[in-house]
């Protein structure tokens, strides 16, 4: 029998593109695990999708996963069926233009074939404590990344 896991995620960007951070909280029963990461040159949308990917990659066995995200981009890709249409049309949108972030969409799509994933949209920056915690972790990841980048002295 597959374990039921809850995953809250968020992504953030300082500039778009710019420094980005992602974070998530995995929960199973009483167990809770937080994770976060960052990238130097990225976009908010990439961080939102990567947050889900990184959470699903941490699961050691196929699970039933309820994903909660404030990213319409990520959630609607599955709820509205966009990702399936993109894949069936060789990662092209309805207007024939290439889908952005194909590398991440392919990886996330593959992970949804390993796990039974259901996506839920939550209001961002509202009264959802877990979503707010993910936002805090993602922003902290950006702050930590910024400290590692040498400043440019133009004197």
């Amino acid at each position: 029998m597959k374990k039921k896991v809850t995953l809250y995620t968020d992504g953030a960007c300082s500039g778009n593109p710019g420094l980005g951070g992602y974070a998530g909280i995995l929960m199973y029963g009483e167990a809770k695990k937080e994770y976060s990461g960052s990238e130097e040159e990225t976009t908010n949308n990439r961080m939102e999708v990567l947050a889900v990917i990184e959470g699903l990659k941490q699961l050691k066995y196929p699970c039933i996963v309820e994903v909660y995200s404030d990213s319409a981009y990520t959630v609607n890709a599955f709820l509205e069926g966009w990702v399936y249409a993109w894949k069936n049309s060789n990662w092209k949108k309805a207007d024939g233009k290439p889908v952005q972030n194909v590398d991440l969409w392919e990886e996330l799509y593959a992970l949804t074939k390993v796990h039974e994933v259901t996506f839920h949209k939550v209001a961002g920056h509202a009264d959802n404590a877990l979503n707010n915690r993910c936002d805090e972790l993602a922003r902290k990841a950006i702050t930590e990344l910024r400290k590692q980048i040498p400043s440019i002295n133009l004197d």
Side-chain angles (χ1 to χ4, degrees):
M1 178 143 92
K2 291 183 183 176
K3 295 178 179 178
K4 293 185 180 180
V5 175
T6 301
L7 173 59
Y8 273 81
T9 65
D10 198 21
C13 226
S14 181
N16 203 16
L19 300 179
Y22 64 86
I25 303 170
L26 277 165
M27 294 172 286
Y28 173 70
E30 296 297 314
K32 185 159 94 171
K33 179 180 182 182
E34 296 181 343
Y35 64 90
S36 63
S38 58
E39 290 186 0
E40 283 190 35
E41 188 66 21
T42 191
T43 64
N44 191 61
N45 282 342
R46 285 189 67 80
M47 293 295 92
E48 294 282 6
V49 177
L50 189 57
V52 179
I53 290 170
E54 291 301 323
L56 294 175
K57 282 170 54 175
Q58 293 189 42
L59 300 173
K60 294 178 176 69
Y61 309 101
C63 295
I64 298 168
V65 186
E66 301 290 329
V67 174
Y68 294 85
S69 171
D70 62 11
S71 168
Y73 178 70
T74 305
V75 172
N76 288 344
F78 288 90
L79 293 185
E80 302 292 330
W82 305 339
V83 74
Y84 309 110
W86 296 337
K87 185 173 182 349
N88 289 337
S89 62
N90 204 21
W91 300 103
K92 300 257 190 288
K93 296 187 290 186
D95 62 8
K97 294 180 181 173
V99 172
Q100 291 183 320
N101 306 312
V102 170
D103 58 329
L104 297 180
W105 288 120
E106 287 178 326
E107 190 172 5
L108 182 52
Y109 179 86
L111 287 164
T112 65
K113 297 303 169 200
V114 173
H115 306 286
E116 293 177 39
V117 182
T118 304
F119 288 86
H120 305 275
K121 175 80 172 67
V122 297
H125 312 286
D127 59 357
N128 186 313
L130 293 168
N131 180 256
N132 290 339
R133 176 65 178 153
C134 288
D135 180 65
E136 179 184 328
L137 291 168
R139 293 186 182 287
K140 184 178 178 188
I142 294 170
T143 301
E144 292 302 313
L145 178 61
R146 187 173 282 122
K147 290 177 186 174
Q148 298 171 20
I149 299 172
S151 59
I152 300 171
N153 188 345
L154 300 175
D155 293 339

